[in-house]
Amino acid sequence: MTDPSSVLIPFATFHYLRYLDGPCLKSSIFFKNNELLPNTINLINNEDFFKRPQFFKVPTLKNDIFLNVISKMRLEEKISDDNTITMLQLLLNELFLICNRERDYFISESPLINTTDEIIVKAANFINNNYHKKIKLTNISTYVGYSPNYLTNKFKTIVGVNVHEYLNIIRLKHALHELKTTNDSITNIAYRTGFSNSNYFKDVFKKHYGKSPSNFRKEI
């Protein structure tokens, strides 16, 4: 299964959805704005948020959290007792808060990618979806259908950094998010975000952000 995605479609908006990656499981949730708590709307902090379509791609590491809420909503519909409406409203708010927590993060998930070049976008998407795995340049070049040398030269020319550097940037952004939002150990975060060992992670992190992961966490 691919990572879950959410699409917010305002009322009376003409639309259609295409599924390019094969079969999928779709859940449609219909709601009114007044079913969202004032605090939820305040946290979203954007008056136009519900007036235009929105797209959220759920982080790989947060799949279970997101899908758990959807499962609870399905279960509540089956229970259908006096508590169901209130429970569904609370779960709806939880779903929006999860999306909102990740929204700004994922808008900037692909730094430096300001191009419509199909090869570069495809390579960047592969990295974004597989950063937490042990991927190599050959894996990426095979996916986009070009030689490692061709991809390396093209990526460097258009993006300004090579493929490996970009992979580290994506891994660092996920690690930074983990440092901010979890109390997990730095070693676990390093491995979970795709770094081969914690010492290498610490060196790359300090070089990029000017401080060690532990010092960054202390300053939060």
Coordinates of all heavy atoms in Angstrom, one line a residue, residues 17 20-21 40 49-50 54 60-61 72 74 79 85 95 101 134 149 162-163 169 172 192-194 207 211 214:
L17 N -11.0 12.5 -9.6 CA -9.7 11.9 -9.1 C -9.3 10.7 -10.0 O -10.1 9.9 -10.4 CB -9.9 11.4 -7.7 CG -10.3 12.5 -6.6 CD1 -10.6 11.8 -5.3 CD2 -9.3 13.5 -6.5
L20 N -3.3 6.7 -10.2 CA -2.3 6.3 -11.2 C -1.5 5.1 -10.7 O -0.7 4.5 -11.5 CB -1.4 7.5 -11.5 CG -2.0 8.7 -12.0 CD1 -1.0 9.8 -12.2 CD2 -2.8 8.4 -13.3
D21 N -1.5 4.8 -9.4 CA -0.7 3.7 -8.9 C -1.4 2.4 -8.7 O -1.0 1.6 -7.8 CB -0.1 4.2 -7.6 CG 0.9 5.4 -7.8 OD1 1.5 5.4 -8.8 OD2 0.9 6.3 -6.9
T40 N -9.6 24.0 16.6 CA -9.1 23.4 15.4 C -8.9 24.4 14.3 O -7.9 24.5 13.6 CB -10.0 22.2 14.9 OG1 -10.1 21.3 16.0 CG2 -9.4 21.5 13.7
F49 N -8.7 28.5 4.0 CA -8.3 27.1 4.0 C -9.4 26.2 3.4 O -9.2 25.3 2.7 CB -8.0 26.6 5.4 CG -7.4 25.2 5.5 CD1 -6.1 25.0 5.3 CD2 -8.3 24.2 5.8 CE1 -5.6 23.7 5.3 CE2 -7.8 22.9 5.9 CZ -6.5 22.6 5.7
F50 N -10.7 26.5 3.8 CA -11.8 25.6 3.4 C -12.4 26.1 2.1 O -13.4 25.5 1.7 CB -12.8 25.5 4.5 CG -12.3 24.9 5.8 CD1 -11.9 25.7 6.8 CD2 -12.1 23.5 5.9 CE1 -11.4 25.1 8.0 CE2 -11.6 22.9 7.0 CZ -11.3 23.7 8.1
Q54 N -7.4 21.3 -1.0 CA -6.1 21.1 -0.3 C -5.7 19.6 -0.5 O -6.5 18.7 -0.6 CB -6.3 21.4 1.2 CG -6.9 22.8 1.5 CD -5.8 23.8 1.4 OE1 -4.6 23.5 1.3 NE2 -6.3 25.1 1.5
T60 N 5.3 8.8 5.9 CA 5.4 7.4 6.0 C 5.3 7.0 7.5 O 4.7 6.0 7.9 CB 6.7 6.9 5.4 OG1 6.6 7.2 4.0 CG2 6.8 5.4 5.5
L61 N 6.1 7.7 8.3 CA 6.2 7.3 9.7 C 4.9 7.6 10.5 O 4.8 7.1 11.7 CB 7.3 8.0 10.4 CG 8.7 7.7 9.8 CD1 9.8 8.6 10.5 CD2 9.1 6.3 10.0
K72 N -11.3 4.1 13.3 CA -12.2 4.5 14.4 C -13.5 5.1 13.8 O -14.6 4.8 14.3 CB -11.5 5.4 15.3 CG -10.5 4.8 16.2 CD -9.9 5.8 17.1 CE -8.8 5.2 18.0 NZ -8.2 6.2 18.9
R74 N -14.8 4.5 10.9 CA -15.6 3.4 10.3 C -16.3 2.6 11.3 O -17.5 2.2 11.2 CB -14.7 2.5 9.4 CG -14.2 3.1 8.2 CD -13.7 2.0 7.2 NE -13.0 2.6 6.1 CZ -11.7 2.5 5.8 NH1 -10.9 1.9 6.7 NH2 -11.2 3.0 4.8
I79 N -21.3 1.2 14.9 CA -21.9 1.2 16.3 C -23.2 2.0 16.2 O -24.3 1.5 16.7 CB -20.9 1.9 17.3 CG1 -19.7 1.0 17.4 CG2 -21.6 2.1 18.6 CD1 -18.6 1.6 18.3
I85 N -22.5 10.5 16.8 CA -22.3 11.8 16.1 C -21.2 12.6 16.8 O -20.3 13.2 16.1 CB -23.6 12.6 16.1 CG1 -24.7 11.9 15.2 CG2 -23.4 14.1 15.7 CD1 -26.0 12.6 15.2
L95 N -8.4 14.2 12.9 CA -7.9 14.0 11.6 C -7.3 15.3 11.0 O -6.2 15.3 10.4 CB -9.0 13.4 10.7 CG -8.6 12.8 9.3 CD1 -7.8 11.5 9.6 CD2 -9.8 12.5 8.5
R101 N -0.7 19.4 11.4 CA 0.6 19.3 12.1 C 1.6 19.0 11.0 O 2.8 19.5 11.1 CB 0.5 18.2 13.1 CG 1.9 17.9 13.7 CD 1.8 16.9 14.8 NE 1.3 17.6 16.0 CZ 0.9 16.9 17.2 NH1 0.9 15.6 17.2 NH2 0.6 17.6 18.2
K134 N 17.4 1.9 2.8 CA 18.8 2.0 2.3 C 18.8 2.0 0.8 O 19.0 1.0 0.1 CB 19.5 0.7 2.8 CG 19.7 0.6 4.3 CD 20.4 -0.6 4.7 CE 20.6 -0.7 6.2 NZ 21.3 -1.9 6.7
N149 N 25.2 8.2 -14.1 CA 26.0 9.4 -14.5 C 25.1 10.5 -15.1 O 25.3 11.7 -14.7 CB 27.1 9.0 -15.5 CG 28.3 8.3 -14.8 OD1 28.5 8.4 -13.6 ND2 29.0 7.5 -15.6
N162 N 24.0 17.5 -5.6 CA 23.9 16.1 -6.2 C 22.8 15.3 -5.6 O 22.2 15.7 -4.6 CB 25.3 15.4 -6.3 CG 25.8 15.2 -4.9 OD1 25.1 14.8 -4.0 ND2 27.1 15.3 -4.7
V163 N 22.6 14.1 -6.1 CA 21.5 13.3 -5.6 C 21.7 12.9 -4.2 O 20.8 12.9 -3.4 CB 21.4 12.0 -6.5 CG1 20.3 11.1 -6.0 CG2 21.0 12.4 -7.9
I169 N 19.4 15.9 2.6 CA 18.6 17.1 3.0 C 17.2 16.6 3.4 O 16.7 17.0 4.4 CB 18.5 18.1 1.8 CG1 19.8 18.8 1.6 CG2 17.4 19.1 2.1 CD1 19.9 19.7 0.4
L172 N 17.4 14.8 6.7 CA 17.6 15.7 7.8 C 16.3 16.4 8.1 O 16.0 16.7 9.3 CB 18.7 16.7 7.4 CG 20.1 16.3 7.4 CD1 21.1 17.3 6.9 CD2 20.6 15.9 8.9
R192 N 15.9 5.5 11.8 CA 14.5 5.5 11.3 C 14.4 6.5 10.0 O 13.5 6.3 9.2 CB 13.5 6.0 12.4 CG 12.1 5.8 12.0 CD 11.2 5.8 13.2 NE 11.2 7.0 13.9 CZ 11.5 7.1 15.2 NH1 11.8 6.1 15.9 NH2 11.5 8.3 15.8
T193 N 15.3 7.4 10.0 CA 15.2 8.4 8.8 C 16.2 8.0 7.8 O 16.5 8.9 6.9 CB 15.4 9.8 9.3 OG1 16.6 9.9 10.1 CG2 14.2 10.3 10.1
G194 N 16.8 6.9 7.8 CA 17.6 6.4 6.7 C 19.1 6.5 6.8 O 19.8 6.1 5.9
K207 N 26.8 19.8 10.3 CA 27.3 20.5 9.2 C 26.2 21.3 8.5 O 26.4 22.5 8.1 CB 27.9 19.5 8.2 CG 28.5 20.2 6.9 CD 29.1 19.2 6.0 CE 29.7 19.9 4.7 NZ 30.3 18.9 3.8
K211 N 24.7 22.9 14.5 CA 24.7 22.4 15.9 C 24.4 21.0 15.9 O 23.8 20.4 14.9 CB 23.6 23.2 16.7 CG 22.2 23.1 16.2 CD 21.3 24.0 16.9 CE 21.5 25.4 16.5 NZ 20.5 26.4 17.0
S214 N 21.6 16.9 19.6 CA 21.3 17.0 21.1 C 21.2 18.5 21.5 O 20.3 18.8 22.3 CB 22.4 16.3 21.9 OG 23.7 16.8 21.6

